[in-house]
């Protein structure tokens, strides 16, 4: 069975600084998707960034980028120029590629605090 | 553009009772997935509905059941409530069952408390 592990329950960053959140996963599949979701106090899960396993290039979305190491099964999220609005729970998630297997497997999350 | 709408936002029930949670998907989406998020945990997949049928199911007992209507909205039913069913229940909609490919849109959830 696939699993997702986030080893940092809490992280803190100064406004305008850079922070990296860690995620490791376990799967025997070769094709899959990895995601980072943000959950603010409003509770709605918001997609931050997505990575297809078959793509070697790391995904980037504005201030958010990932370091995808397929052999090491590692998928970290880097937030640059941190803003107060980035404070939230961040969840790493895995999904098997293709077919109807669309369900997401989440880690336990990392609570990010941003200090002004 | 209406996103995913869930109702009610909060609910308190007594052990042994039954509860129904509702979800209206984002406009244009035809697939609904339900997740349970216990306090301090990540969401866990309950099941997914597409074309009014349950297409996938996670590791949840038969007390958890669902339904999808012709307008794509969905209900989650939980029978014989246990204290451990207290959680945030999230609904996610997508276009097609391969939702990780097409992308999920989540609602803000229903907070269920069982006393």
């Amino acid at each position: 069975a696939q699993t997702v592990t986030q080893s940092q329950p809490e992280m803190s960053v100064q406004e305008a600084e850079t922070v990296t959140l860690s995620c490791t996963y376990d799967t025997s599949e070769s094709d899959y998707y990895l995601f980072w979701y943000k959950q603010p106090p409003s509770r709605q899960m918001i997609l931050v960034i997505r990575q297809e396993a078959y793509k070697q290039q790391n995904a980037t979305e504005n201030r958010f980028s990932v370091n995808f190491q397929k052999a090491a099964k590692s998928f970290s999220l880097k937030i640059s120029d941190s803003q107060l609005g980035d404070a939230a729970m961040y969840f790493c998630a895995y999904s098997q590629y293709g077919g109807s297997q669309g369900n997401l497997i989440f880690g336990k999350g990392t609570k990010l605090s941003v200090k002004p | 553009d209406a996103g995913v709408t869930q109702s009610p936002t909060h609910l308190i029930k007594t052990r042994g009772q039954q509860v129904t949670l509702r979800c209206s998907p984002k406009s244009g989406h035809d697939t609904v997935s339900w997740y349970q998020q216990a306090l301090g945990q990540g969401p866990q997949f309950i099941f997914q509905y597409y074309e009014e049928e349950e297409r996938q199911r996670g590791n949840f007992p038969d007390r958890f059941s669902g339904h999808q209507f012709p307008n794509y909205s969905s209900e989650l039913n939980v029978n014989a409530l246990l204290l451990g069913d207290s959680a945030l229940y999230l609904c996610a909609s997508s276009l097609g069952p391969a939702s990780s490919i097409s992308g999920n849109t989540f609602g803000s959830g229903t907070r269920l408390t069982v006393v």
Side-chain angles (χ1 to χ4, degrees), chain A residues 43-61:
Chain A
R43 309 184 313 199
Q44 183 182 19
M45 284 282 189
I46 301 167
L47 178 64
V48 174
I49 199 164
R50 182 174 88 170
Q51 175 81 42
E52 291 89 340
Y54 65 87
K55 289 186 178 179
Q56 292 189 344
Q57 186 173 6
N58 289 324
T60 299
E61 288 288 342

Side-chain angles (χ1 to χ4, degrees), chain B residues 17-20 63-65 76-81 85 89:
Chain B
Q17 283 189 316
Q18 180 264 344
V19 68
T20 297
R63 298 187 297 109
F64 289 77
S65 63
L76 164 64
N77 301 293
V78 187
N79 294 322
L81 284 167
D85 294 332
Y89 288 84

Side-chain angles (χ1 to χ4, degrees), chain B residues 19-94:
Chain B
V19 68
T20 297
L21 310 182
R22 295 176 175 82
C23 173
S24 293
K26 179 180 178 179
S27 177
H29 285 181
D30 59 6
T31 303
V32 172
S33 301
W34 288 92
Y35 291 81
Q36 180 195 65
Q37 186 177 14
L39 195 62
Q41 303 293 317
Q44 282 194 294
F45 175 72
I46 303 174
F47 44 52
Q48 181 188 74
Y49 277 84
Y50 173 66
E51 293 184 335
E52 301 181 47
E53 290 187 10
E54 184 182 293
R55 297 290 177 164
Q56 300 178 62
R57 188 178 183 91
N59 189 25
F60 279 80
D62 292 344
R63 298 187 297 109
F64 289 77
S65 63
H67 188 77
Q68 186 179 36
F69 299 93
N71 67 352
Y72 308 122
S73 66
S74 177
E75 289 182 348
L76 164 64
N77 301 293
V78 187
N79 294 322
L81 284 167
L82 304 174
L83 294 179
D85 294 332
S86 296
L88 178 68
Y89 288 84
L90 293 166
C91 172
S93 73
S94 61

